[in-house]
């Protein structure tokens, strides 16, 4: 069960991400904006052809290729990792796959689909559940790696 936990968390991340995206397409599809914390945090539907902060809009296929390599390669890394990093990497894998699904199956089509984003952070950027999993996973992995005591070799 311990080795399967990262994959369960990753699959749960993918499922939640895709369900929230489907909800957003229906609930926010008419251009609605739902304020959660005033303008600081709101919901609005955006289709992102690029990466984080809409960088690389003209290179969607490159981003798709990188996401595919990460999505296929990360399970191998997870299987070989110690328990704590593997659990963290499960979230990173889930986030990568969640956005890859959009790039493969959403308009304008394979492999240049646009990622569905809906969480607006005060107009600075708009993200989704997969993005949250990726960011939290990477930050947690960095904190884990920099916070642990190096093992002594004899």
């Amino acid at each position: 069960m311990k080795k399967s936990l990262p994959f369960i968390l990753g699959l749960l991340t993918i499922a939640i991400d895709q369900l929230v995206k489907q909800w957003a397409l229906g609930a926010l599809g008419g251009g609605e904006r739902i304020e959660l914390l005033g303008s600081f945090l709101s919901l609005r539907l955006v289709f992102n052809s690029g990466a984080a902060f809409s960088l690389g809009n003209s290179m969607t296929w490159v981003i798709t290729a990188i996401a595919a390599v990460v999505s296929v390669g990360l399970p191998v890394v997870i299987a070989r990792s110690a328990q704590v990093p593997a659990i963290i990497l499960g979230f990173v894998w889930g986030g990568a796959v969640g956005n890859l699904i959009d790039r493969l199956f959403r308009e304008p089509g394979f492999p240049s689909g646009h990622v569905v984003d809906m969480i607006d952070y005060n107009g600075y950027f708009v993200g989704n559940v997969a993005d949250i999993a990726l960011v939290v996973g990477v930050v947690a992995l960095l904190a884990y790696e920099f916070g642990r005591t190096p093992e002594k070799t004899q």
Side-chain angles (χ1 to χ4, degrees):
M1 176 64 172
K2 285 185 178 187
K3 275 295 186 186
S4 64
L5 183 60
F7 297 105
I8 292 169
L9 293 173
L11 291 171
L12 186 60
T13 300
I14 295 165
I16 292 169
D17 176 64
Q18 292 300 307
L19 287 170
V20 170
K21 287 174 179 175
Q22 282 306 116
W23 170 84
L25 289 168
L28 305 171
E32 294 85 353
R33 179 185 198 100
I34 300 171
E35 290 189 352
L36 301 175
L37 296 174
S39 63
F40 181 75
L41 185 68
S42 59
L43 299 174
R44 71 179 174 98
L45 186 62
V46 174
F47 298 95
N48 185 357
S49 62
F53 307 106
S54 295
L55 297 174
N57 285 332
S58 63
M59 299 177 44
T60 303
W61 68 271
V62 173
I63 296 167
T64 302
I66 293 168
V69 168
V70 169
S71 296
V72 171
L74 207 48
V76 174
V77 174
I78 290 169
R80 295 179 180 175
S81 293
Q83 187 63 20
V84 173
I87 290 169
I88 295 169
L89 289 172
F91 288 109
V92 174
W93 176 70
V97 171
N99 283 339
L100 178 62
I101 289 169
D102 287 10
R103 298 204 181 280
L104 296 177
F105 300 109
R106 296 210 188 266
E107 294 295 326
F110 182 90
S112 299
H114 296 176
V115 174
V116 175
D117 288 333
M118 79 294 300
I119 305 169
D120 187 334
Y121 298 91
N122 202 28
Y124 293 112
F125 61 93
V126 182
N128 58 42
V129 173
D131 297 335
I132 293 169
L134 283 165
V135 170
V136 169
V138 169
V139 169
L141 188 61
L142 289 172
Y144 173 80
E145 288 298 322
F146 287 114
R148 65 188 188 134
T149 306
E151 296 177 18
K152 294 180 181 180
T153 57
Q154 295 181 359

